[in-house]
Structure formats: C-alpha cells, structure tokens
Amino acid sequence: MMRSFRQTSLLKCRRALYLSYQQHQLLSTTSRDRPFNTVILFVPQQEAWVVERFGKYHATLNPGFNILIPVIDSIKYVQVLKEIAIEVPEQHAITSDNVTLKIDGVLYVKVTDPYKTSYGVEDPEFAITQLAQTTMRSEIGKIPLDTVFKERDALNIYIVETLNKAADAWGINCLRYEIKNIELPKKVQEAMQMQVEAERKKRAAILESEGIKEADINVAQGKKQARILNSEANKLEQINQAQGEAQAILAKASAQATSVEVIAAALRQKNGMNAVSMKIAEQYVAAFGNLAKKGNTVLLPNSTGDISSMVTQAMAIYNNISNNKQLQASEVDGELDDATVDEINVLKDNAMKGTDLDSITKDTALTDKDSKSKS
C-alpha cells in the first residue's frame, strides 16, 4: 500500500512539473532553449522566431524556409502562436457579505503579436495569471455570496474584457476565462444546506396549501352548480305541474260545460223532465247506500226507511224547480238559465252527500215564495 501511494505521489509531481514546463515552453522560450543560428533555418508551423542583429530587434521569422547571417543574427525568442490554456492557481476572495471563498480557474490565451510579447513584458504567463487573480478578487468583492453562482458567466465575461485591455500592450489576446471550483467554508455550507431544505419545505407547504385551496374551490363550485341545477329542475317541475293542472282544470271545465249543454238539450226534448226525475230518484236512493262508509258521523232524514216518501219528496223538489225554470224560460225565449242548472247540480251533490231533504224542501219553498213575489 505504501509503495503504491508513493508511486502515485511521484507520478502526480512529475505530471505537474511537466505541465508547468510545457506551458512555460509554449508561451516563451528561454535563451538556453532557443534554436542556434545555422544560417539555413526551417521555422515550424504556428511558431514565430524573433531575430536580433547586434543585440537589436531585426525581424520575425515566419514558418518555412529562412536564412540568417551567422554571428551577426541571433534567435532571441520563440513564440508559439497556438491557443494556450493556463491554470490560474487557487486564491482566496471575500464577498460583499464577508464570506471567504477559495476560487481557481483556467485562462485561455493566444499570442497575436510576437514582438510585443517578447519585449512588452518580462514573463507573460506570470503577468496574465496575476492579472486574472486580482481581477477575480475585485469582482467577487462587489457581489454577495447568494449571487456568486448566478453571476458566474458574467464574472467570466468581465474578467476577459479586463484582461484584454491590459494584455493588448503585451501582444496577447485573452479568449476566455472559466471558473473551475468555488469552495465554501464548512459552516457556510451547512447554513446553505439548511436554507435549501427550508426553502424546499416552504415550497412543498405552499404547493400543498394551493392544492387544498383548489380542491375546496372545486368542491364548492360543484355544490353550487348542483344546487342551481336542482333549483332549475324543481322550477321546471313546478311549471310543468302547474301547466298540467291548468290544462286539467280547463279540460274539466270544458267537459262540464259540454255536459250542461247536453243536459239542457235533453231537457228541451219530449219526456226529458221525466227522465231527469227518474235519474234524481236513482241517485238519491244510491246515496244512502254509501252512507257511513267514509266517516263515523251520518245525517239521516226522519223517513229513512220509507223509500217511497223519500222519492216523493225528491220529485216534489224537482217539480218546484222545474216550474220555476219554465217560468224563467218563457221570459228568455226558452233558454236554460245557468242558475237552474247550478241548483240541479247542488241537488245532485246533496243527494250524494246525504243532505237532509227537509232542509232542502224548506229552502226550495222559500225560493218559490220569493220567485212568486217577484213575478
């Protein structure tokens, strides 16, 4: 286990040293690593060699075939024109609400002017890295912790713009800057975790309450619509029932009027009065057969057992009514008066109900006296 751990540590150290050497080699070549003047030179693609003559800048060799004067010309700098990724070391930054963060990033740059890169700054890699760190600390100090993660893209864009303003004099173009990691203190992480949990619980409670609210509203609306529909159904039922009763009343009235007309026509015929007398006598006798079937209290005339006397009394009443009707019919050209028909109907009803014939006889006699006095 210890041997494997040591091997892994050694591999990591070697890799870090190799990457650091490669970045430094790509951006700027030292005097020990620069090519030697062999008169005929071949410059590789995406490289630029800066040549000095007598210690002064002379020319920049482009990729391909080139010829230099020995001893007089010397290759001072070798600049790589490829895009280079530089790792920005981890640094501490303090937000506007006094929270310390650990931030690192990656910077992507490209040499655009080999002359400025060679003579504008001593160490281009160190200069651009330090400028990226200071700019990041400055921008982090302007915003609170809650907006650091939201403003990540905006921070990257602002850092690139700031670096390009300063690196233009160095012949370097900053293409983009990316924040790799943002490390928070443990207590701040715990507080943020509690805040996130509380926010989740709050959202869950709000959603649950909204669901209950919508359910209650739906139930109330359903009950409202049900009551409205029931009331409308009751209304239509009452209207239909009233219309049916009205039609029934009209039909009964029409049938009664037709029956009265038929009775009146029958009375004007020959022996019509005798038929009516017989009908009244039959109904009178049949009425006594229904007595005491629907109630406990019964009113009976004095001569209940004498059917012949009862029929005689009924016929006498009818004859008095008929005589009065004939007198009135002669005055109105033979037309049947509605009052006589009503009296006949009253007699029928009284006969069905078992009304006392003596009282009817008295009432009839009084009406005869009144009619005679009037005539």
Side-chain angles (χ1 to χ4, degrees):
M1 292 293 291
M2 293 295 295
R3 183 179 297 177
S4 61
F5 177 75
R6 290 176 181 176
Q7 289 179 356
T8 305
S9 301
L10 290 174
L11 289 174
K12 289 183 179 180
C13 293
R14 290 177 181 176
R15 183 179 180 184
L17 291 174
Y18 175 75
L19 290 175
S20 178
Y21 171 76
Q22 187 179 13
Q23 291 176 359
H24 186 74
Q25 179 69 21
L26 289 173
L27 190 60
S28 177
T29 304
T30 61
S31 59
R32 291 177 297 177
D33 297 331
R34 61 178 179 264
F36 183 73
N37 186 1
T38 57
V39 182
I40 299 174
L41 300 173
F42 298 95
V43 179
Q45 184 68 29
Q46 292 294 334
E47 287 188 6
W49 294 0
V50 178
V51 178
E52 291 183 354
R53 177 173 293 180
F54 298 111
K56 182 180 179 182
Y57 172 76
H58 173 64
T60 301
L61 300 181
N62 295 321
F65 177 77
N66 293 277
I67 299 176
L68 295 178
I69 301 174
V71 181
I72 297 176
D73 295 334
S74 63
I75 302 172
K76 187 67 176 177
Y77 299 99
V78 175
Q79 303 294 345
V80 178
L81 302 181
K82 299 177 182 179
E83 184 177 348
I84 304 170
I86 303 174
E87 184 176 358
V88 180
E90 187 180 53
Q91 61 177 334
H92 293 274
I94 301 175
T95 61
S96 61
D97 50 355
N98 297 324
V99 178
T100 303
L101 306 177
K102 291 182 179 179
I103 301 177
D104 58 357
V106 178
L107 182 64
Y108 297 88
V109 297
K110 185 177 182 181
V111 176
T112 56
D113 192 341
Y115 175 80
K116 291 182 179 181
T117 305
S118 300
Y119 299 100
V121 63
E122 178 65 25
D123 190 347
E125 178 185 353
F126 179 77
I128 199 72
T129 302
Q130 293 299 314
L131 182 59
Q133 288 182 328
T134 55
T135 306
M136 173 59 70
R137 285 197 297 268
S138 176
E139 290 304 313
I140 290 294
K142 297 178 182 179
I143 57 178
L145 177 62
D146 295 336
T147 58
V148 169
F149 296 96
K150 295 180 181 178
E151 300 294 334
R152 199 163 180 171
D153 294 336
L155 286 173
N156 295 335
I157 294 172
Y158 183 79
I159 291 172
V160 170
E161 292 177 354
T162 305
L163 291 177
N164 284 329
K165 290 179 182 179
D168 184 55
W170 304 337
I172 299 174
N173 182 21
C174 181
L175 301 177
R176 56 190 176 276
Y177 180 85
E178 297 293 338
I179 298 174
K180 289 177 62 178
N181 299 315
I182 300 177
E183 184 178 351
L184 301 174
K186 292 183 178 180
K187 293 184 178 180
V188 176
Q189 290 181 357
E190 293 176 358
M192 292 180 66
Q193 186 67 27
M194 293 175 63
Q195 182 180 1
V196 170
E197 292 178 359
E199 185 68 23
R200 296 292 181 184
K201 292 180 180 179
K202 175 184 174 182
R203 292 180 182 178
I206 292 173
L207 292 175
E208 184 178 0
S209 63
E210 289 180 352
I212 294 173
K213 175 183 175 182
E214 292 180 358
D216 293 339
I217 291 173
N218 292 333
V219 171
Q221 289 180 351
K223 290 181 178 179
K224 176 183 176 182
Q225 293 177 359
R227 294 185 66 179
I228 291 172
L229 293 175
N230 289 331
S231 63
E232 290 180 354
N234 292 331
K235 176 182 176 182
L236 293 175
E237 183 179 0
Q238 292 177 2
I239 291 172
N240 293 332
Q241 185 176 1
Q243 289 178 353
E245 291 177 356
Q247 292 177 0
I249 291 171
L250 292 175
K252 289 180 180 179
S254 178
Q256 188 175 3
T258 304
S259 65
V260 170
E261 292 179 356
V262 171
I263 291 171
L267 290 176
R268 286 194 292 268
Q269 293 179 2
K270 186 177 180 180
N271 296 324
M273 300 302 292
N274 295 330
V276 171
S277 300
M278 183 178 177
K279 185 65 176 177
I280 291 173
E282 291 177 354
Q283 292 179 354
Y284 186 83
V285 173
F288 284 98
N290 296 324
L291 291 176
K293 288 185 177 180
K294 296 183 180 180
N296 296 326
T297 303
V298 180
L299 296 176
L300 296 175
N302 295 328
S303 58
T304 304
D306 192 356
I307 297 176
S308 60
S309 62
M310 292 169 58
V311 173
T312 303
Q313 289 178 2
M315 293 301 297
I317 294 169
Y318 180 74
N319 290 329
N320 291 330
I321 295 172
S322 298
N323 293 329
N324 293 330
K325 181 59 185 174
Q326 289 177 0
L327 292 173
Q328 293 176 0
S330 61
E331 294 177 358
V332 293
D333 297 331
E335 293 182 358
L336 183 62
D337 186 67
D338 293 336
T340 304
V341 177
D342 293 336
E343 291 176 358
I344 294 172
N345 292 329
V346 170
L347 282 174
K348 293 180 180 179
D349 295 335
N350 291 331
M352 295 295 296
K353 295 178 181 178
T355 307
D356 191 359
L357 294 179
D358 293 337
S359 60
I360 296 173
T361 306
K362 292 178 181 179
D363 294 337
T364 305
L366 290 174
T367 52
D368 291 340
K369 290 180 180 179
D370 293 335
S371 61
K372 289 178 180 180
S373 62
K374 288 181 181 179
S375 60

mmCIF file of all heavy atoms in Angstrom, residues 318-343:
data_model
loop_
_atom_site.group_PDB
_atom_site.id
_atom_site.type_symbol
_atom_site.label_atom_id
_atom_site.label_comp_id
_atom_site.label_asym_id
_atom_site.label_seq_id
_atom_site.Cartn_x
_atom_site.Cartn_y
_atom_site.Cartn_z
ATOM 1 N N TYR A 318 -137.985 18.585 -7.239
ATOM 2 C CA TYR A 318 -137.608 18.773 -8.639
ATOM 3 C C TYR A 318 -138.735 19.433 -9.416
ATOM 4 O O TYR A 318 -138.480 20.255 -10.302
ATOM 5 C CB TYR A 318 -137.238 17.423 -9.246
ATOM 6 C CG TYR A 318 -136.837 17.539 -10.699
ATOM 7 C CD1 TYR A 318 -135.598 18.087 -11.065
ATOM 8 C CD2 TYR A 318 -137.714 17.148 -11.713
ATOM 9 C CE1 TYR A 318 -135.253 18.209 -12.376
ATOM 10 C CE2 TYR A 318 -137.356 17.280 -13.039
ATOM 11 C CZ TYR A 318 -136.121 17.804 -13.367
ATOM 12 O OH TYR A 318 -135.772 17.931 -14.678
ATOM 13 N N ASN A 319 -140.014 19.080 -9.106
ATOM 14 C CA ASN A 319 -141.134 19.700 -9.827
ATOM 15 C C ASN A 319 -141.195 21.187 -9.548
ATOM 16 O O ASN A 319 -141.468 21.982 -10.450
ATOM 17 C CB ASN A 319 -142.445 19.017 -9.424
ATOM 18 C CG ASN A 319 -142.529 17.598 -9.974
ATOM 19 O OD1 ASN A 319 -141.980 17.324 -11.052
ATOM 20 N ND2 ASN A 319 -143.216 16.703 -9.270
ATOM 21 N N ASN A 320 -140.950 21.579 -8.277
ATOM 22 C CA ASN A 320 -140.932 23.011 -7.966
ATOM 23 C C ASN A 320 -139.843 23.727 -8.754
ATOM 24 O O ASN A 320 -140.056 24.814 -9.301
ATOM 25 C CB ASN A 320 -140.700 23.214 -6.467
ATOM 26 C CG ASN A 320 -141.901 22.752 -5.650
ATOM 27 O OD1 ASN A 320 -143.048 22.815 -6.119
ATOM 28 N ND2 ASN A 320 -141.663 22.278 -4.422
ATOM 29 N N ILE A 321 -138.711 23.096 -8.814
ATOM 30 C CA ILE A 321 -137.604 23.725 -9.573
ATOM 31 C C ILE A 321 -137.952 23.794 -11.045
ATOM 32 O O ILE A 321 -137.669 24.770 -11.741
ATOM 33 C CB ILE A 321 -136.303 22.930 -9.339
ATOM 34 C CG1 ILE A 321 -135.877 23.031 -7.880
ATOM 35 C CG2 ILE A 321 -135.182 23.442 -10.221
ATOM 36 C CD1 ILE A 321 -134.715 22.133 -7.509
ATOM 37 N N SER A 322 -138.572 22.728 -11.545
ATOM 38 C CA SER A 322 -138.919 22.703 -12.970
ATOM 39 C C SER A 322 -139.936 23.781 -13.296
ATOM 40 O O SER A 322 -139.852 24.437 -14.341
ATOM 41 C CB SER A 322 -139.481 21.325 -13.338
ATOM 42 O OG SER A 322 -138.478 20.339 -13.113
ATOM 43 N N ASN A 323 -140.971 23.987 -12.418
ATOM 44 C CA ASN A 323 -141.967 25.024 -12.660
ATOM 45 C C ASN A 323 -141.318 26.398 -12.693
ATOM 46 O O ASN A 323 -141.631 27.226 -13.561
ATOM 47 C CB ASN A 323 -143.050 24.976 -11.584
ATOM 48 C CG ASN A 323 -143.883 23.695 -11.679
ATOM 49 O OD1 ASN A 323 -144.067 23.154 -12.787
ATOM 50 N ND2 ASN A 323 -144.394 23.201 -10.551
ATOM 51 N N ASN A 324 -140.438 26.629 -11.731
ATOM 52 C CA ASN A 324 -139.737 27.925 -11.731
ATOM 53 C C ASN A 324 -138.897 28.098 -12.994
ATOM 54 O O ASN A 324 -138.838 29.180 -13.570
ATOM 55 C CB ASN A 324 -138.834 28.029 -10.507
ATOM 56 C CG ASN A 324 -139.628 28.094 -9.206
ATOM 57 O OD1 ASN A 324 -140.771 28.604 -9.199
ATOM 58 N ND2 ASN A 324 -139.065 27.573 -8.120
ATOM 59 N N LYS A 325 -138.301 27.018 -13.428
ATOM 60 C CA LYS A 325 -137.469 27.107 -14.621
ATOM 61 C C LYS A 325 -138.295 27.381 -15.858
ATOM 62 O O LYS A 325 -137.889 28.120 -16.748
ATOM 63 C CB LYS A 325 -136.666 25.799 -14.778
ATOM 64 C CG LYS A 325 -135.746 25.803 -15.976
ATOM 65 C CD LYS A 325 -134.756 26.926 -15.902
ATOM 66 C CE LYS A 325 -133.913 27.010 -17.145
ATOM 67 N NZ LYS A 325 -133.046 28.163 -17.176
ATOM 68 N N GLN A 326 -139.494 26.806 -15.933
ATOM 69 C CA GLN A 326 -140.348 27.034 -17.097
ATOM 70 C C GLN A 326 -140.802 28.482 -17.148
ATOM 71 O O GLN A 326 -140.891 29.063 -18.228
ATOM 72 C CB GLN A 326 -141.553 26.088 -17.048
ATOM 73 C CG GLN A 326 -141.182 24.635 -17.325
ATOM 74 C CD GLN A 326 -142.378 23.707 -17.188
ATOM 75 O OE1 GLN A 326 -143.496 24.173 -16.874
ATOM 76 N NE2 GLN A 326 -142.142 22.415 -17.432
ATOM 77 N N LEU A 327 -141.098 29.060 -15.962
ATOM 78 C CA LEU A 327 -141.489 30.466 -15.948
ATOM 79 C C LEU A 327 -140.357 31.359 -16.447
ATOM 80 O O LEU A 327 -140.566 32.276 -17.243
ATOM 81 C CB LEU A 327 -141.897 30.878 -14.538
ATOM 82 C CG LEU A 327 -143.191 30.238 -14.004
ATOM 83 C CD1 LEU A 327 -143.406 30.594 -12.534
ATOM 84 C CD2 LEU A 327 -144.388 30.687 -14.831
ATOM 85 N N GLN A 328 -139.143 31.067 -15.993
ATOM 86 C CA GLN A 328 -137.995 31.885 -16.421
ATOM 87 C C GLN A 328 -137.653 31.634 -17.874
ATOM 88 O O GLN A 328 -137.226 32.524 -18.585
ATOM 89 C CB GLN A 328 -136.789 31.562 -15.541
ATOM 90 C CG GLN A 328 -136.963 31.996 -14.093
ATOM 91 C CD GLN A 328 -135.796 31.581 -13.222
ATOM 92 O OE1 GLN A 328 -134.883 30.972 -13.721
ATOM 93 N NE2 GLN A 328 -135.877 31.916 -11.921
ATOM 94 N N ALA A 329 -137.854 30.371 -18.340
ATOM 95 C CA ALA A 329 -137.519 30.058 -19.731
ATOM 96 C C ALA A 329 -138.442 30.787 -20.683
ATOM 97 O O ALA A 329 -138.061 31.157 -21.788
ATOM 98 C CB ALA A 329 -137.619 28.559 -19.957
ATOM 99 N N SER A 330 -139.720 30.980 -20.283
ATOM 100 C CA SER A 330 -140.644 31.722 -21.139
ATOM 101 C C SER A 330 -140.214 33.165 -21.283
ATOM 102 O O SER A 330 -140.494 33.797 -22.305
ATOM 103 C CB SER A 330 -142.067 31.636 -20.552
ATOM 104 O OG SER A 330 -142.083 32.216 -19.256
ATOM 105 N N GLU A 331 -139.581 33.735 -20.259
ATOM 106 C CA GLU A 331 -139.139 35.125 -20.340
ATOM 107 C C GLU A 331 -137.881 35.271 -21.197
ATOM 108 O O GLU A 331 -137.664 36.317 -21.803
ATOM 109 C CB GLU A 331 -138.852 35.648 -18.931
ATOM 110 C CG GLU A 331 -140.108 35.728 -18.055
ATOM 111 C CD GLU A 331 -139.776 36.186 -16.649
ATOM 112 O OE1 GLU A 331 -138.544 36.385 -16.385
ATOM 113 O OE2 GLU A 331 -140.684 36.340 -15.831
ATOM 114 N N VAL A 332 -137.061 34.285 -21.281
ATOM 115 C CA VAL A 332 -135.785 34.388 -22.045
ATOM 116 C C VAL A 332 -135.830 33.554 -23.300
ATOM 117 O O VAL A 332 -134.815 33.048 -23.761
ATOM 118 C CB VAL A 332 -134.598 33.967 -21.171
ATOM 119 C CG1 VAL A 332 -134.373 34.939 -20.055
ATOM 120 C CG2 VAL A 332 -134.804 32.542 -20.642
ATOM 121 N N ASP A 333 -137.008 33.385 -23.867
ATOM 122 C CA ASP A 333 -137.182 32.673 -25.146
ATOM 123 C C ASP A 333 -136.739 31.233 -25.058
ATOM 124 O O ASP A 333 -136.086 30.707 -25.983
ATOM 125 C CB ASP A 333 -136.434 33.381 -26.277
ATOM 126 C CG ASP A 333 -136.989 34.775 -26.525
ATOM 127 O OD1 ASP A 333 -138.190 34.994 -26.283
ATOM 128 O OD2 ASP A 333 -136.180 35.629 -26.983
ATOM 129 N N GLY A 334 -137.051 30.535 -23.983
ATOM 130 C CA GLY A 334 -136.819 29.095 -23.920
ATOM 131 C C GLY A 334 -135.401 28.681 -23.607
ATOM 132 O O GLY A 334 -135.073 27.518 -23.707
ATOM 133 N N GLU A 335 -134.517 29.646 -23.270
ATOM 134 C CA GLU A 335 -133.124 29.273 -22.962
ATOM 135 C C GLU A 335 -133.004 28.853 -21.516
ATOM 136 O O GLU A 335 -133.662 29.415 -20.644
ATOM 137 C CB GLU A 335 -132.191 30.443 -23.235
ATOM 138 C CG GLU A 335 -132.086 30.797 -24.711
ATOM 139 C CD GLU A 335 -131.100 31.929 -24.925
ATOM 140 O OE1 GLU A 335 -130.561 32.418 -23.924
ATOM 141 O OE2 GLU A 335 -130.872 32.291 -26.097
ATOM 142 N N LEU A 336 -132.176 27.907 -21.222
ATOM 143 C CA LEU A 336 -131.972 27.388 -19.877
ATOM 144 C C LEU A 336 -131.028 28.304 -19.118
ATOM 145 O O LEU A 336 -129.957 28.656 -19.605
ATOM 146 C CB LEU A 336 -131.364 25.976 -19.946
ATOM 147 C CG LEU A 336 -131.168 25.268 -18.594
ATOM 148 C CD1 LEU A 336 -132.532 25.075 -17.940
ATOM 149 C CD2 LEU A 336 -130.477 23.941 -18.799
ATOM 150 N N ASP A 337 -131.496 28.727 -17.909
ATOM 151 C CA ASP A 337 -130.687 29.632 -17.109
ATOM 152 C C ASP A 337 -129.599 28.862 -16.360
ATOM 153 O O ASP A 337 -129.830 27.719 -15.941
ATOM 154 C CB ASP A 337 -131.581 30.360 -16.106
ATOM 155 C CG ASP A 337 -130.819 31.427 -15.357
ATOM 156 O OD1 ASP A 337 -130.404 32.419 -15.998
ATOM 157 O OD2 ASP A 337 -130.614 31.258 -14.157
ATOM 158 N N ASP A 338 -128.481 29.506 -16.178
ATOM 159 C CA ASP A 338 -127.347 28.834 -15.525
ATOM 160 C C ASP A 338 -127.644 28.579 -14.061
ATOM 161 O O ASP A 338 -127.153 27.607 -13.483
ATOM 162 C CB ASP A 338 -126.077 29.684 -15.645
ATOM 163 C CG ASP A 338 -125.619 29.772 -17.084
ATOM 164 O OD1 ASP A 338 -125.975 28.868 -17.861
ATOM 165 O OD2 ASP A 338 -124.899 30.750 -17.416
ATOM 166 N N ALA A 339 -128.516 29.436 -13.435
ATOM 167 C CA ALA A 339 -128.790 29.244 -12.017
ATOM 168 C C ALA A 339 -129.539 27.961 -11.769
ATOM 169 O O ALA A 339 -129.319 27.260 -10.775
ATOM 170 C CB ALA A 339 -129.600 30.432 -11.482
ATOM 171 N N THR A 340 -130.501 27.632 -12.683
ATOM 172 C CA THR A 340 -131.265 26.394 -12.523
ATOM 173 C C THR A 340 -130.352 25.189 -12.644
ATOM 174 O O THR A 340 -130.468 24.207 -11.895
ATOM 175 C CB THR A 340 -132.367 26.318 -13.592
ATOM 176 O OG1 THR A 340 -133.159 27.480 -13.489
ATOM 177 C CG2 THR A 340 -133.220 25.087 -13.370
ATOM 178 N N VAL A 341 -129.455 25.245 -13.593
ATOM 179 C CA VAL A 341 -128.505 24.149 -13.749
ATOM 180 C C VAL A 341 -127.657 24.006 -12.505
ATOM 181 O O VAL A 341 -127.373 22.901 -12.040
ATOM 182 C CB VAL A 341 -127.631 24.397 -14.994
ATOM 183 C CG1 VAL A 341 -126.584 23.289 -15.124
ATOM 184 C CG2 VAL A 341 -128.493 24.445 -16.244
ATOM 185 N N ASP A 342 -127.258 25.142 -11.922
ATOM 186 C CA ASP A 342 -126.479 25.079 -10.684
ATOM 187 C C ASP A 342 -127.284 24.469 -9.563
ATOM 188 O O ASP A 342 -126.762 23.695 -8.745
ATOM 189 C CB ASP A 342 -126.017 26.476 -10.276
ATOM 190 C CG ASP A 342 -125.014 27.044 -11.276
ATOM 191 O OD1 ASP A 342 -124.358 26.220 -11.966
ATOM 192 O OD2 ASP A 342 -124.886 28.285 -11.363
ATOM 193 N N GLU A 343 -128.597 24.806 -9.508
ATOM 194 C CA GLU A 343 -129.431 24.222 -8.463
ATOM 195 C C GLU A 343 -129.557 22.719 -8.647
ATOM 196 O O GLU A 343 -129.559 21.951 -7.674
ATOM 197 C CB GLU A 343 -130.824 24.858 -8.497
ATOM 198 C CG GLU A 343 -130.819 26.331 -8.043
ATOM 199 C CD GLU A 343 -132.192 26.968 -8.176
ATOM 200 O OE1 GLU A 343 -133.096 26.259 -8.662
ATOM 201 O OE2 GLU A 343 -132.340 28.134 -7.797
#
